[in-house]
Amino acid sequence: LEVARKLAYVPQIAPALGASPKELIDLVCLTRSLRPRAVDDNAARLGLGLSEIADRPFRNLSGGMKQKLLLAIAFAARPSLLVLDEPTASLDETTRQTFFEMCRELAAETTMVLCSHRVEEVSLLTSR
């Protein structure tokens, strides 16, 4: 369990969950000892208003909303290892820039494994 708390993964294709964003956040925060406020703050930075979507089924959200929520949760975990599979595929340009800023903020304490076909993005986020 301790190892799991140090890892975070954001898939390219979000799972088709019937749970609402609120239920998902509550579960992840409970099992990972996270503060829901940290998820809310990250979501807001990514341009996602959680109060507007809190009770909708996760599977019914747009691709961008799903991606923003999964990223907000992953960043709130402050993981030692963060695995990102095409993390910006569903994001607009403004949100992509915020994502890069958030990655740079984690860089000193987190090893990131990034899968992407966008060479320009990989070069912004990698040291090797």
Side-chain angles (χ1 to χ4, degrees):
L1 185 60
E2 193 60 36
V3 171
R5 287 189 178 139
K6 296 179 181 183
L7 307 174
Y9 170 63
V10 178
Q12 177 180 3
I13 300 171
L17 302 174
S20 69
K22 181 182 180 336
E23 292 168 329
L24 179 60
I25 292 166
D26 288 347
L27 175 64
V28 171
C29 288
L30 178 66
T31 58
R32 299 201 57 167
S33 301
L34 301 178
R35 294 179 309 111
R37 183 71 190 167
V39 178
D40 289 344
D41 291 347
N42 286 334
R45 281 187 70 186
L46 292 164
L48 180 64
L50 291 179
S51 62
E52 301 162 18
I53 62 164
D55 297 317
R56 294 169 52 187
F58 179 83
R59 68 174 166 249
N60 292 349
L61 300 177
S62 71
M65 288 177 172
K66 290 175 190 174
Q67 197 71 358
K68 289 175 184 180
L69 179 55
L70 294 176
L71 288 168
I73 292 169
F75 283 117
R78 307 295 293 184
S80 297
L81 176 63
L82 176 58
V83 179
L84 302 161
D85 186 5
E86 297 287 348
T88 62
S90 299
L91 303 180
D92 60 68
E93 186 58 33
T94 301
T95 306
R96 282 185 194 158
Q97 294 309 314
T98 302
F99 165 77
F100 298 139
E101 290 170 17
M102 293 171 80
C103 284
R104 283 190 286 277
E105 291 166 10
L106 277 183
E109 63 192 62
T110 303
T111 298
M112 292 183 216
V113 177
L114 173 70
C115 300
S116 178
H117 67 279
R118 298 175 191 223
V119 176
E120 71 280 1
E121 290 183 2
V122 172
S123 65
L124 286 173
L125 296 175
T126 58
S127 60
R128 56 187 158 164

